[in-house]
Amino acid sequence: MVKKKKGNTSSAVRILHKRYIKDDPKRLKSLKIEREKADIAEQIYDLRTQAGLSQKQLAEKIGTTQSVISRLEDADYNGHSIQMLERIADALHYRVEIRLVPETANYAYV
């Protein structure tokens, strides 16, 4: 019979964060940037689907192609421009809000 180890169990996110991110400022900043990109992509996707539009339909509304919308909805995309986000927001009856906030030393997600 194998005895189970008693103690605190951490979530996978906490384990990975502790192992790979720790308090490394470069990794924390990179993680923050990746989360921001994923958030933008997710917002575009969510707003488009809530409006009942396909990528092609949204692209036609803002004068671009379906492949551009597809890239914008990809969390790995690096080319979000304020102008393009404003065009999307306008087509979906939203507005873009940009805020400058103080930096914090801790970008941790745990």
Side-chain angles (χ1 to χ4, degrees):
M1 177 182 231
V2 176
K3 285 187 177 181
K4 288 189 176 184
K5 183 178 175 182
K6 290 188 178 185
N8 293 336
T9 303
S10 295
S11 71
V13 172
R14 288 176 193 247
I15 292 168
L16 292 171
H17 189 274
K18 185 176 179 180
R19 182 174 293 162
Y20 297 107
I21 305 296
K22 297 181 186 172
D23 292 325
D24 183 327
K26 287 182 183 179
R27 288 186 178 182
L28 290 168
K29 185 172 184 176
S30 176
L31 180 61
K32 178 183 176 285
I33 290 167
E34 293 305 315
R35 284 194 184 122
E36 289 169 351
K37 291 187 327 187
D39 184 52
I40 291 169
E42 184 177 19
Q43 285 182 59
I44 293 169
Y45 171 83
D46 288 345
L47 293 175
R48 177 183 60 77
T49 57
Q50 287 170 14
L53 298 173
S54 68
Q55 289 180 343
K56 183 177 181 183
Q57 290 169 321
L58 178 57
E60 289 170 355
K61 281 181 157 289
I62 65 170
T64 191
T65 63
Q66 177 274 328
S67 63
V68 168
I69 302 302
S70 178
R71 281 193 304 272
L72 291 167
E73 291 180 357
D74 183 345
D76 292 329
Y77 183 63
N78 289 316
H80 297 101
S81 72
I82 294 171
Q83 181 181 22
M84 180 59 78
L85 294 175
E86 286 175 338
R87 288 168 54 192
I88 292 169
D90 186 52
L92 298 173
H93 308 290
Y94 278 78
R95 65 184 174 87
V96 173
E97 183 177 284
I98 299 170
R99 298 179 302 133
L100 298 175
V101 296
E103 279 190 29
T104 59
N106 185 1
Y107 298 110
Y109 183 71
V110 291

